[in-house]
Amino acid sequence: MSTTILEAKHIYKQFYDPVKIDVLKDINFQVQSGEFVSVIGKSGCGKSTLLYILSTMDTDYQGELYIDGKKMTGLKEKELAAVRNEKIGFVFQFHYLLNEFSVMENIILPARKLARKPIEEVKERSLFLLKTLDITKLADKNPRQLSGGEKQRVAIARAMINEPRILMGDEPTGNLDKKNSEIVFHTFQQLAQEFQQSLLIVTHDPEFAERTNRIIEMEDGRIIRQ
Amino acid sequence: MSSKLIIQIAYSLLMARWKQTLVAAIGVTFSITMFITLLSFMTGLNKLLDGLILNRTAHVRLYNEVRPDSIQPVEIAPEFKSNYHMIRSVKSGNSRQEIYNSEAIMDRIVQDERVLGIAPKITSQVFFNEGSLDITGVVYGIDVEAETRLFFFTDYMVKGTASDLKNVANSIVLGKGLADKLLADVGEMVQVTTAQGEQFRLKVVGHFQSGLQELDKTQSFASITTVQKLLGKSANYVTDIQIKLTDVSLAPKLAREFGTIFSIDAEDIQTANSQFETGTTIRTIISYAVGITLLVVAGFGIYNILNMMIYEKMDSIAILKATGFSGTDVNRIFILIALGIGFFGGITGLLMGYLLSSLIDQIPFNTAALPTVTTYPINYNPIYYLIGGAFSLFTTWFAGYFPARKASKIDPVVIIRGK
Ligand SMILES: Nc1ncnc2c1ncn2[C@@H]1O[C@H](COP(=O)(O)OP(=O)(O)OP(=O)(O)O)[C@@H](O)[C@H]1O
Ligand SMILES: [Mg+2]
């Protein structure tokens, strides 16, 4: 039985720069648990903007957002931070690893923030993720020593550490070459199939999109196909 | 959310920029060191200078001023009640320097719990006769034990023993300057002529140096009984009662109180020596001002470091927020960094301040005016360490406040979009 993990209801957003631009217009869609969804569209059509709203980092919009059945719209900064920590994993185009910490420490940082499980259990999970992503040998390295593809996989492990309800990505393969993109895509697919992980990934790569369960296509701030 | 994690993140960020952090901490260390040293030295000096006079001065002094009666007999005569009185050439007639009923007064005062102790005293003008030369001087009749306990009499004895005043009959302790003039060494005799014309021979049992040369040229000390004998007075003749209090700040109040109760003249130390208070206050203010200025400068250093760190760590802050750290958490991290710099810089500063002031304490400082002092004076008052420590934490917290707030307000969307 599938449940709704994420639901967007009539989401609108404007930028005033300096004239009013409607970036998002009446966005409505749902993501079910276990779904692997990709979002495509021309550059500038509002994909990133939408993703920032869905990830609760951007609160300046109209409409309603539900995650895991709970309304996000109107929650306080602190509450939203807690939701992001617990329920949302995010992978960006850029990896954003902290160079002050080792790979392992980077991965477990969100779990330590959550502080729900003992540290040993968290470390075990991070080792499991590293193994799944085929980067076990990198655990004690510094992020500076990693290749682009490796960094991105570490970022995925970090996003997965708290077993989020949904994993979001904004062009996570955008900076990678063909081979590394393939590895990352494969990782996502594996997460979806083996762990029934819900995924919502923005991509420019039509091949990538074709291989997901469902494609949401945007144009000019609207969803034209889903 | 565990503060251990916050501490660890703060620590890692600090260590990533440890050189600049060190410079900032050294700034704090330097200012706290100077603050402690300056205050310890300045207040040590203050205490020394104040002690010169204030140690030797009663907090409240009871005495009888020689002055004309404020009420003349004609004013109380009933037959002239309705007349207008015109009196010329009023003289300070019958009034005496002696304190009436001195024993009863002393018994009563000793019982007051605000009083630390009392020392009776007689002041007597005399001439010291040296050949054909007459040198004017003062003999103070003192209770050596009380005087030593309350006013550190023995500390100022440069030769001889103070207790001999009591044990040797007809003995005297001469001021250093006076002894030099009279060429009277310990064990020799000096001749004294009282105001009444009586002549006495007294044995010198010691030399005294107060540190104020003018006084030492004229003053001398004898036991109360000796001076009573000089003046031909009875055994309860006393001209001054010196009172030392447990709390010196009560002096003005108690002076008024005793003055009224015993209908006597009472002078408090603050009125008698107001110029010393002023000097002390100004020296203390200067020390604080310098210390605080240094700390503020150090504060700017910390402010700069944090701003730079936040600028460099924008990405890290953005990802912390994206992965669920709240603005408050981020704020705490940076406040903690600031406080960490303040704490370690401050602790080192306190230690260095202590070392530097103990070093100054070792430097020889000999002056003829201060026989008891051999090195520069240092006041090791823990309160300065407390103030220094608290102030270093406060300054660094304040320096970190605005950068930390800026960091907590960073919008991750803006940073991530900027990439
Ligand atoms: N802060 C802003 N102020 C004003 N306009 C903005 C701002 N951020 C984005 N926009 C505009 O909003 C529109 C949507 O931007 P968005 O980044 O969501 O596009 P996108 O679909 O992710 O494009 P790409 O595929 O190139 O990443 C663009 O036209 C962009 O210029
Ligand atoms: Mg985009």
Side-chain angles (χ1 to χ4, degrees):
Chain A
M1 195 198 87
S2 77
T3 52
T4 307
I5 297 299
L6 181 142
E7 185 174 13
K9 280 187 185 170
H10 307 293
I11 287 184
Y12 289 80
K13 179 166 175 87
Q14 304 82 35
F15 281 119
Y16 298 89
D17 186 39
V19 289
K20 184 178 164 192
I21 319 163
D22 292 302
V23 196
L24 298 176
K25 289 164 253 181
D26 198 21
I27 302 290
N28 292 288
F29 73 96
Q30 296 184 343
V31 177
Q32 307 299 322
S33 70
E35 258 191 317
F36 187 178
V37 184
S38 58
V39 181
I40 57 167
K42 288 202 189 76
S43 183
C45 69
K47 306 182 293 294
S48 296
T49 309
L50 176 62
L51 215 57
Y52 297 141
I53 290 171
L54 298 181
S55 69
T56 76
M57 284 192 282
D58 187 353
T59 50
D60 182 19
Y61 60 90
Q62 300 90 51
E64 285 172 0
L65 169 68
Y66 293 83
I67 287 174
D68 209 13
K70 198 171 165 230
K71 189 174 168 184
M72 294 294 118
T73 315
L75 287 187
K76 292 199 191 79
E77 187 255 359
K78 211 171 177 139
E79 297 164 316
L80 291 176
V83 170
R84 282 200 295 280
N85 186 227
E86 190 189 344
K87 296 186 173 170
I88 304 172
F90 212 116
V91 184
F92 306 94
Q93 189 169 356
F94 183 71
H95 56 82
Y96 290 106
L97 298 176
L98 305 184
N99 287 330
E100 291 83 22
F101 294 96
S102 73
V103 164
M104 167 80 93
E105 285 168 334
N106 263 287
I107 293 172
I108 64 175
L109 211 53
R112 292 184 60 191
K113 164 71 192 162
L114 187 64
R116 183 167 294 166
K117 289 180 187 164
I119 193 80
E120 292 75 29
E121 213 171 304
V122 169
K123 280 190 175 155
E124 235 164 72
R125 170 150 175 92
S126 84
L127 281 175
F128 167 75
L129 287 169
L130 283 167
K131 200 171 152 203
T132 314
L133 298 170
D134 200 21
I135 44 172
T136 313
K137 61 181 191 305
L138 303 180
D140 297 320
K141 284 204 172 172
N142 187 280
R144 267 185 283 243
Q145 301 165 299
L146 271 51
S147 78
E150 287 167 340
K151 281 179 189 166
Q152 203 59 305
R153 274 182 280 168
V154 174
I156 294 169
R158 177 179 62 193
M160 290 295 297
I161 190 75
N162 283 342
E163 301 177 54
R165 306 294 284 138
I166 184 162
L167 184 71
M168 300 185 192
D170 189 0
E171 302 183 43
T173 60
N175 271 344
L176 303 180
D177 63 8
K178 191 86 198 137
K179 185 173 147 264
N180 275 306
S181 300
E182 191 54 43
I183 293 170
V184 169
F185 177 80
H186 200 79
T187 308
F188 286 146
Q189 215 165 30
Q190 195 182 357
L191 293 174
Q193 282 167 6
E194 286 178 27
F195 310 111
Q196 279 69 52
Q197 179 67 51
S198 318
L199 293 127
L200 181 67
I201 309 290
V202 169
T203 180
H204 264 133
D205 183 351
E207 261 181 63
F208 183 112
E210 281 308 323
R211 290 147 69 186
T212 61
N213 299 150
R214 186 175 136 212
I215 299 174
I216 295 177
E217 194 177 344
M218 288 180 67
E219 196 179 288
D220 218 4
R222 289 181 197 280
I223 293 177
I224 53 168
R225 178 167 71 97
Q226 62 167 299
Chain B
M1 148 72 191
S2 75
S3 47
K4 202 175 139 205
L5 178 57
I6 293 281
I7 292 170
Q8 204 198 334
I9 295 173
Y11 175 79
S12 306
L13 290 178
L14 248 171
M15 281 304 131
R17 280 259 151 260
W18 68 270
K19 273 185 198 160
Q20 283 91 329
T21 309
L22 197 68
V23 171
I26 286 173
V28 177
T29 302
F30 182 73
S31 46
I32 293 292
T33 305
M34 291 318 286
F35 181 79
I36 294 293
T37 312
L38 216 68
L39 270 170
S40 307
F41 186 44
M42 281 288 197
T43 55
L45 218 54
N46 273 348
K47 269 186 145 178
L48 182 91
L49 294 174
D50 291 354
L52 212 58
I53 284 286
L54 303 186
N55 269 355
R56 305 266 312 124
T57 311
H59 293 167
V60 176
R61 189 168 74 93
L62 304 184
Y63 62 103
N64 262 336
E65 189 84 83
V66 177
R67 67 156 92 79
D69 277 343
S70 55
I71 300 168
Q72 293 292 322
V74 68
E75 293 171 36
I76 35 180
E79 57 269 44
F80 300 114
K81 209 170 174 192
S82 55
N83 293 44
Y84 187 76
H85 309 135
M86 255 194 200
I87 311 163
R88 272 174 229 261
S89 301
V90 176
K91 296 275 188 313
S92 310
N94 254 343
S95 66
R96 294 181 298 171
Q97 274 190 292
E98 177 179 1
I99 296 175
Y100 304 103
N101 210 4
S102 57
E103 283 198 26
I105 292 179
M106 286 195 273
D107 283 348
R108 160 73 178 72
I109 290 176
V110 173
Q111 280 162 22
D112 196 314
E113 59 193 14
R114 294 166 296 184
V115 171
L116 192 70
I118 59 169
K121 192 171 173 183
I122 308 174
T123 310
S124 156
Q125 310 285 332
V126 295
F127 292 107
F128 292 95
N129 312 116
E130 163 70 13
S132 60
L133 208 65
D134 287 337
I135 300 167
T136 48
V138 185
V139 183
Y140 293 110
I142 56 169
D143 174 343
V144 180
E145 277 154 16
E147 203 75 20
T148 299
R149 186 165 59 85
L150 300 175
F151 303 113
F152 314 102
F153 185 76
T154 39
D155 285 359
Y156 296 88
M157 292 280 297
V158 286
K159 216 170 186 185
T161 36
S163 55
D164 281 353
L165 270 187
K166 213 175 123 219
N167 302 334
V168 179
N170 296 336
S171 56
I172 190 166
V173 168
L174 295 176
K176 187 79 172 52
L178 187 59
D180 289 347
K181 272 204 248 176
L182 294 172
L183 296 167
D185 208 346
V186 172
E188 293 177 3
M189 305 294 280
V190 287
Q191 181 154 324
V192 185
T193 310
T194 66
Q196 283 77 28
E198 305 275 347
Q199 295 209 333
F200 288 89
R201 283 173 66 75
L202 300 174
K203 188 174 187 189
V204 179
V205 293
H207 290 173
F208 179 90
Q209 191 172 26
S210 67
L212 303 173
Q213 280 198 7
E214 277 311 308
L215 283 182
D216 291 336
K217 277 184 194 165
T218 55
Q219 68 183 359
S220 64
F221 299 89
S223 69
I224 287 199
T225 36
T226 307
V227 177
Q228 281 164 349
K229 225 185 287 176
L230 285 185
L231 297 173
K233 299 289 185 183
S234 63
N236 47 23
Y237 177 85
V238 165
T239 59
D240 289 73
I241 298 172
Q242 309 174 93
I243 306 170
K244 202 154 192 185
L245 305 175
T246 47
D247 178 6
V248 66
S249 62
L250 291 175
K253 183 170 161 277
L254 279 174
R256 271 195 305 277
E257 193 179 313
F258 291 149
T260 341
I261 294 178
F262 305 121
S263 45
I264 202 170
D265 290 302
E267 186 182 51
D268 60 83
I269 192 168
Q270 282 84 349
T271 314
N273 294 287
S274 46
Q275 74 276 19
F276 282 93
E277 291 270 326
T278 320
T280 304
T281 316
I282 288 175
R283 278 189 292 270
T284 312
I285 289 176
I286 291 174
S287 318
Y288 273 98
V290 171
I292 287 170
T293 308
L294 288 170
L295 264 177
V296 168
V297 172
F300 274 110
I302 293 173
Y303 176 84
N304 272 338
I305 293 273
L306 283 177
N307 262 340
M308 194 176 71
M309 207 178 258
I310 288 163
Y311 188 75
E312 275 177 4
K313 296 293 165 199
M314 287 278 192
D315 289 356
S316 304
I317 295 167
I319 194 63
L320 284 176
K321 286 192 149 189
T323 54
F325 287 79
S326 65
T328 320
D329 295 332
V330 173
N331 195 326
R332 274 196 210 136
I333 290 171
F334 282 92
I335 286 285
L336 209 68
I337 290 177
L339 286 181
I341 296 175
F343 182 75
F344 290 106
I347 289 275
T348 325
L350 293 180
L351 207 77
M352 301 270 286
Y354 176 75
L355 290 178
L356 191 58
S357 35
S358 5
L359 203 73
I360 292 175
D361 206 358
Q362 301 304 314
I363 300 174
F365 174 61
N366 288 311
T367 158
L370 301 161
T372 52
V373 176
T374 55
T375 57
Y376 277 101
I378 290 290
N379 176 13
Y380 296 98
N381 191 341
I383 198 83
Y384 302 134
Y385 292 78
L386 221 71
I387 292 174
F391 210 80
S392 68
L393 283 185
F394 176 75
T395 323
T396 48
W397 171 81
F398 193 69
Y401 179 80
F402 291 102
R405 214 172 62 150
K406 189 167 118 191
S408 75
K409 294 234 157 74
I410 284 176
D411 184 352
V413 173
V414 172
I415 307 294
I416 290 161
R417 204 183 261 289
K419 277 283 162 181

